[in-house]
Amino acid sequence: NAGVMQNPRHLVRRRGQEARLRCSPMKGHSHVYWYRQLPEEGLKFMVYLQKENIIDESGMPKERFSAEFPKEGPSILRIQQVVRGDSAAYFCASSPGSFTNEQFFGPGTRLTVL
Amino acid sequence: DAKTTQPTSMDCAEGRAANLPCNHSTISGNEYVYWYRQIHSQGPQYIIHGLKNNETNEMASLIITEDRKSSTLILPHATLRDTAVYYCIVTKAAGNKLTFGGGTRVLVKP
């Protein structure tokens, strides 16, 4: 059973460009979470999605950031008009969403904004 | 979610048990204690969780005090690969975001 997959693993963008980060949850998992880890800081929750629904986006910046988890395909975290402060590691986690809050994390996408 | 307090760092000798404390004095009755760790630059890894009874799995043991205001994660025989930041998180059962604090930076030394 493959784990959570994220791609790309490393992404370099220039200021003003768009970044699209993809996350494929573990097989059978319908809950996806996105977290961000700024350099030398802790992980911060961004958004929680179930298939086709955003459940909790309390950690998402109000502008330029969006997330989706379509019926088919991976979850996408999209950052428009990136700025240097968006440089961070972005981790996706999935969960079966049943009786446990055990979340399985992917390897992360390291975004560098030049 | 209840706030947790952990020591900033600790060292442990290879082969010895590592005991990681966590205080969560404001925990409520329906909140669980979860432990995760993050080995350098990797995604966090689930270790163990419990409600009020002690728990053990292939990775670690979790001891929760009777009043549930604190807990201890025990790595029975620490190896160099256990060097990581360990996070104690208190959260409700399912479908919740994880709130990571500063964690405890554990360095296992030969």
Side-chain angles (χ1 to χ4, degrees), chain B residues 11-77:
Chain B
D11 293 346
C12 176
E14 186 180 18
R16 304 293 295 269
N19 296 289
L20 283 63
C22 179
N23 287 322
H24 32 78
S25 58
T26 61
I27 191 169
S28 60
N30 62 347
E31 288 183 315
Y32 288 70
V33 180
Y34 278 78
W35 283 83
Y36 282 77
R37 72 180 182 183
Q38 186 176 27
I39 297 171
H40 180 63
S41 297
Q42 297 180 21
Q45 177 188 24
Y46 165 83
I47 301 173
I48 199 167
H49 76 279
L51 182 62
K52 54 183 178 181
N53 297 322
N54 298 337
E55 302 288 344
T56 296
N57 63 20
E58 66 279 2
M59 289 184 68
S61 295
L62 174 60
I63 309 297
I64 302 174
T65 57
E66 193 169 341
D67 64 7
R68 303 212 317 127
K69 293 184 176 183
S70 65
S71 59
T72 301
L73 178 74
I74 301 173
L75 307 178
H77 305 287

